[in-house]
Amino acid sequence: MMTTPLQLSAEVRDAFERGRPVVALESTIIAHGLPRPRNLELAGELEELVRSGGAVPATIAVLDGKARIGLGKGELERVALQDGLRKLGVRDLAPALALGTSGATTVSGTAFLAARVGIRVFATGGLGGVHRDWVADQDESADLGLLARTRVTVVCAGVKSILDVPATLQRLETLSVPVVGYRTDAFPGFYLHSSGLPLDWTVQSPEQVAEVMRAQDALGRDASALVVANPVPRSQQLDPALHDRVLAEALEAARAAGVRGQAVTPFLLAHLVEHTAGASLEANLAAVRGNVRLAAAIAAAFAATRAARP
Ligand code: PSU
Ligand code: MN
């Protein structure tokens, strides 16, 4: 029989015992979303950002068939550097545990495991979403469905513009997942401060986000997530004209090369990094850092309201 498949790091266990705020961090962006060795540097840096924000980091991954909530240094190195690490969405978790597999978890896999152990706040870069050729291949990330049934607060910088951004926002509406802009009334464009698409709700502070989370709990409806859309600062965004030009070229190159399915996203992202001379990578890193800082502040504010209202 399988014993408890979830393993908490000592730091995370200690945080739970003391009632300290914890922030979950996704591992797929480390393993598959960023080039080496910047990915390993960033993994450590993100954990430090959470700690300096007054919370405890829990980077989540599956190693040798064990779901790990909080990673040590050597484990972070494996996630960043090990060849052949799988990409695990929520549906992959059971096979991975049963077969002793190692893999990085996507937003859907990470959010599921975080919620399962009672971590409420989760920081990532961009959500998965509806792909541009959805009509042909029905490729919509499992992230969206998982967020419709999981009580977790996800801080992100929107979705990458390689996806169909209006369709992704529409799906979030259909799935009844609330999306609030952090100090913005436009959905962020990941590399860009704004995607140009409007949002219905804006919040101004981590305390306000914590109030929305409290209201979700008080309503007690079916357990949807809360998406906090936090734009990269304009000063650190990719130049919008460069973004639009290189994205169009990347989409054309993918079409010409006949790239399909799971290979499309890595192809487009690599094209963007190369043809913006690394500027897209810098904007990507800035967005993720900003999300992690905000997530720590939200987790701290949420823990404070719990302390104030037993
Ligand atoms: N967006 C990014 N970088 C990423 C991802 C999304 O800018 O690395 C990853 C996240 O882990 C997200 C996943 O959850 O891709 C979605 O993959 P799929 O479309 O296969 O569900
Ligand atoms: Mn997909």
Side-chain angles (χ1 to χ4, degrees):
M1 207 180 87
M2 206 160 199
T3 51
T4 171
L6 305 181
Q7 294 191 347
L8 275 57
S9 70
E11 188 184 16
V12 170
R13 211 174 321 113
D14 177 73
F16 283 151
E17 276 161 20
R18 295 163 188 250
R20 296 196 53 211
V22 179
V23 173
L25 300 172
E26 186 209 319
S27 48
T28 291
I29 83 175
I30 303 301
H32 304 294
L34 295 167
R36 300 173 187 175
R38 283 297 284 279
N39 64 341
L40 178 58
E41 283 164 41
L42 185 78
E45 193 192 322
L46 296 181
E47 295 211 334
E48 276 313 306
L49 282 175
V50 173
R51 291 188 189 99
S52 58
V56 170
T59 304
I60 293 180
V62 176
L63 293 174
D64 308 317
K66 298 276 186 295
R68 310 292 296 259
I69 316 295
L71 301 180
K73 194 164 171 293
E75 294 153 351
L76 268 187
E77 274 174 25
R78 281 186 66 186
V79 167
L81 305 178
Q82 185 173 314
D83 287 322
L85 212 68
R86 304 260 313 224
K87 171 178 159 183
L88 306 174
V90 64
R91 75 170 187 153
D92 303 306
L93 292 174
L97 297 196
L99 301 178
T101 306
S102 296
T105 46
T106 67
V107 168
S108 74
T110 309
F112 173 86
L113 290 170
R116 184 75 175 60
V117 298
I119 300 174
R120 182 65 179 265
V121 182
F122 167 32
T124 184
L127 298 181
V130 179
H131 286 258
R132 284 172 183 251
D133 47 3
W134 187 90
V135 172
D137 60 19
Q138 315 206 347
D139 187 350
E140 171 185 323
S141 176
D143 293 355
L144 302 185
L146 191 280
L147 294 179
R149 56 183 196 269
T150 307
R151 184 48 52 80
V152 67
T153 295
V154 184
V155 185
C156 67
V159 301
K160 286 218 172 90
S161 43
I162 58 175
L163 299 174
D164 185 333
V165 183
T168 302
L169 275 178
Q170 180 55 55
R171 285 294 291 151
L172 286 166
E173 179 181 340
T174 302
L175 291 165
S176 300
V177 178
V179 181
V180 299
Y182 190 75
R183 297 181 180 162
T184 181
D185 58 8
F187 193 57
F190 194 85
Y191 298 116
L192 303 180
H193 182 79
S194 169
S195 68
L197 296 162
L199 284 176
D200 295 327
W201 296 97
T202 301
V203 291
Q204 301 294 344
S205 66
E207 289 72 24
Q208 263 185 0
V209 178
E211 288 302 328
V212 177
M213 293 160 65
R214 289 283 163 224
Q216 280 186 306
D217 290 349
L219 281 167
R221 234 202 58 199
D222 35 315
S224 76
L226 173 64
V227 173
V228 179
N230 181 38
V232 67
R234 278 185 211 281
S235 62
Q236 293 178 288
Q237 73 174 353
L238 191 58
D239 171 43
L242 178 65
H243 169 271
D244 294 354
R245 179 170 62 73
V246 176
L247 176 63
E249 288 167 6
L251 292 166
E252 182 47 41
R255 193 162 36 236
V259 182
R260 309 218 34 134
Q262 288 243 342
V264 172
T265 299
F267 179 92
L268 294 173
L269 295 182
H271 194 285
L272 253 66
V273 171
E274 187 184 337
H275 294 267
T276 61
S280 73
L281 178 59
E282 294 310 316
N284 188 339
L285 297 176
V288 176
R289 289 188 190 105
N291 294 341
V292 169
R293 273 191 218 102
L294 178 57
I298 291 168
F302 188 66
T305 63
R306 185 169 45 207
R309 274 180 271 156

